[in-house]
Amino acid sequence: MEVRHATAPDQIPGATTEWLRGRFLAEQLFVSGEVRLLYSHEDRIVVGGALPENGPLTLHCPDPLRSAYFLERRELGMVNVGGAGVVTVDGTPYRLEHRECLYVGRGAREVVFEDGAFYLVSTPAHADRPTAKAGLEDAEPVRLGGQEGSNDRTIYKYIHAKGIQSCQLVLGVTVLEPGSMWNTMPCHTHERRTEVYLYFDLPAEHRVIHLMGRPDETRNLVVADRQAVVSPPWSVHCGFGTSNYSFVWAMGGENQAFEDMEQVAIGEMR
């Protein structure tokens, strides 16, 4: 498990590309035969990737968590960003197709991955919630944007106040239509939550230019397929791809209200 400490906006001026990528971008989450984890002190979110290409993988409990098992004090959401796979939670198997979601509540002791490619997001939990699975047909879809703005997209809400119940984790998938590249614009910040974007379904030769930083002093990260960006509460987060793509958005923090955000007018961005 890699551990990264929290950041402040006054650290951004003068930052190099290497420094920005080292603090905010998770480049190597998916490695064959491994479960890779990153612990961010931004709202104590853990993100990870499980790629069981050569046999089953078990979710381990790294020493920085200081717990008997991974979900002793945490909850976990995951999305399959690969082919069909199976996640077994305390002996119960759940088959996940591409883009499907599984929530695992606090107290589950064993999580095993087979086939597929699983993106993981975990936040601290104060209560037990039941394990639950959802596919695109079970989600609350919201169609936004249009071809004229190059942002025709559908947002699928999986873990939220009116969907799969959690303690603080909120998670969903956004799918962009062919010919659309902007994932959101105007952009926004979340002063009460940290948000993480995991870009996937992006062809290997293409990239997403992800905007971050304070609205009046933005920076950018060039992001490839299956890479994740951790966006602190003070940072904007939006991106434009050289092709259409999908992304998992996940939040953890003070509340679960999807609409709790500070919109930034396009003309105010710098």
Side-chain angles (χ1 to χ4, degrees):
M1 172 183 275
E2 179 185 356
V3 177
R4 296 185 185 176
H5 292 281
T7 55
D10 60 6
Q11 295 176 273
I12 300 303
T16 65
T17 298
E18 182 181 7
W19 188 90
L20 291 171
R21 293 177 72 87
R23 288 299 184 102
F24 302 104
L25 181 64
E27 296 187 70
Q28 296 292 329
L29 288 179
F30 292 89
V31 176
S32 180
E34 295 184 22
V35 177
R36 288 213 167 179
L37 301 170
L38 185 156
Y39 185 112
S40 172
H41 281 270
E42 307 286 358
D43 283 300
R44 300 192 179 276
I45 286 179
V46 173
V47 299
L51 192 55
E53 292 184 322
N54 303 309
L57 294 175
T58 299
L59 179 62
H60 57 289
C61 183
D63 185 65
L65 293 184
R66 296 293 197 274
S67 58
Y69 50 97
F70 188 93
L71 293 167
E72 183 180 16
R73 299 185 300 271
R74 289 185 158 269
E75 59 187 354
L76 173 66
M78 68 187 76
V79 173
N80 185 3
V81 298
V86 175
V87 181
T88 301
V89 181
D90 289 342
T92 300
Y94 298 87
R95 181 180 173 86
L96 268 65
E97 302 292 339
H98 187 60
R99 297 178 182 161
E100 291 192 325
C101 169
L102 184 70
Y103 170 82
V104 184
R106 186 186 73 168
R109 288 182 171 269
E110 185 180 61
V111 180
V112 180
F113 308 98
E114 296 180 74
D115 301 318
F118 301 97
Y119 171 58
L120 317 175
V121 184
S122 173
T123 52
H126 62 271
D128 299 343
R129 297 286 187 267
T131 296
K133 174 192 167 182
L136 296 181
E137 68 281 1
D138 305 308
E140 178 185 328
V142 178
R143 189 72 176 262
L144 293 175
Q147 287 293 331
E148 67 280 1
S150 298
N151 61 355
D152 187 4
R153 64 199 190 276
T154 303
I155 299 173
Y156 296 93
K157 301 177 185 178
Y158 282 138
I159 305 171
H160 64 113
K162 297 180 181 179
I164 296 176
Q165 298 297 294
S166 69
C167 292
Q168 66 160 301
L169 180 62
V170 179
L171 181 149
V173 171
T174 297
V175 179
L176 278 74
E177 297 297 323
S180 287
M181 287 83 166
W182 278 109
N183 54 49
T184 181
M185 184 57 74
C187 63
H188 56 271
T189 61
H190 292 285
E191 291 293 341
R192 287 151 294 280
R193 295 178 291 179
T194 294
E195 184 162 15
V196 184
Y197 278 9
L198 182 282
Y199 292 99
F200 70 106
D201 289 346
L202 181 68
E205 69 275 17
H206 286 273
R207 296 293 184 268
V208 172
I209 310 303
H210 180 96
L211 298 182
M212 58 154 296
R214 293 297 298 161
D216 60 350
E217 193 170 11
T218 60
R219 298 292 188 271
N220 71 79
L221 298 168
V222 180
V223 184
D225 184 53
R226 295 186 183 180
Q227 293 183 345
V229 180
V230 178
S231 298
W234 48 266
S235 177
V236 299
H237 39 277
C238 63
F240 186 88
T242 58
S243 173
N244 65 312
Y245 51 90
S246 303
F247 67 100
V248 180
W249 46 268
M251 293 175 276
E254 187 174 339
N255 63 52
Q256 295 178 296
F258 179 83
E259 297 79 10
D260 183 11
M261 62 186 74
E262 281 68 47
Q263 297 285 349
V264 178
I266 294 175
E268 295 176 359
M269 297 183 65
R270 298 290 184 272

